[in-house]
Amino acid sequence: MTDHYAVIGNPIAHSKSPLIHAEFAKQRGQDMQYARILAPLDGFIETVARLRKEGYKGCNVTVPFKLEAWKLSTFLTVRAKDAESVNTLSFRDDGIYGDNTDGAGLVRDIGSNLGFSIRGSRILLMGAGGAARGVIRPLLDEEPAGIFIANRTVEKAKPLAERFGIGAGGYDELEGQAFDLVINATSGSLKEEVPPLPEGIFAQGSLAYDMMYGKEPTVFLKFAEAAGAKYLSDGLGMLVEQAAESFSIWRGMRPETGSVIAKLRSC
Ligand code: ATR
């Protein structure tokens, strides 16, 4: 019996998740199919209900439905509760289990793939939307020296930071500070916009990480290189790692990710 999974989003045509899960399934000899499903903007709940009825075992959820998936879940993991956002649903007899694997994916990419130590590092997290919210707890669990959230709209960052007991402010408050790890969780790269970072923001040996990815380096990574960041990474590794975490939840086994990241990088 083939087990069915999917990724639900809108838009969804460019999602790489089907390719990633097909690689994982092949690698681990799993009899599964993974589809790409476009849900109408007002039709997420109906789409999930249909998949459940059709016998799907679970699905990934992407923009713009992660908050709805969080609300829809019968059971939530601690990290999904913290993130107020769900990207992985498991359909079981007693209900829908919601999890969020984005933060774990980011931490694994930075720590294992890039070999950068989060422990003791000064982290600047840019952005206060869903992407930022999903990674705060997993980053804190790695025991950094601290995390500061910078956001264009300061009123959005403050309550979020308070919830996690960390600092927050506008970009103008960063003057004179330096960070070891600067993470771009804004949607700026999509519009070719870089948050207004002051000079000297990248400490010696720092890593600039953009959660976005593309064929070319993102505008933020180009800026970071010119501004003195030592290491640069886009979010392709995070994408594969969050998928690996979802695969582990569903199939009870961890896939190998290095070869899949390399494959995606080359196509
Ligand atoms: P997501 O769920 O992907 O995080 P979102 O909730 O729309 O998307 O949040 C986008 C984030 O990117 C916000 O923090 C936004 O800042 P505001 O809260 O001030 O809107 C940030 N953002 C988008 N474009 C930006 C830009 N050009 N410069 C700085 N921040 C930007």
Side-chain angles (χ1 to χ4, degrees), residues 9 24 66 71 91 117 124 143 176 207 212:
F24 290 164
K66 291 185 186 185
K71 289 182 182 159
F91 304 145
S117 175
L124 172 61
E143 301 178 352
L207 165 65
M212 300 281 165

Side-chain angles (χ1 to χ4, degrees), residues 127-131 151-153 156 185-188 191 193 195:
N151 200 45
R152 200 170 49 180
T153 315
K156 225 167 110 186
T186 76
S187 48
K191 298 169 279 178
E193 290 168 3

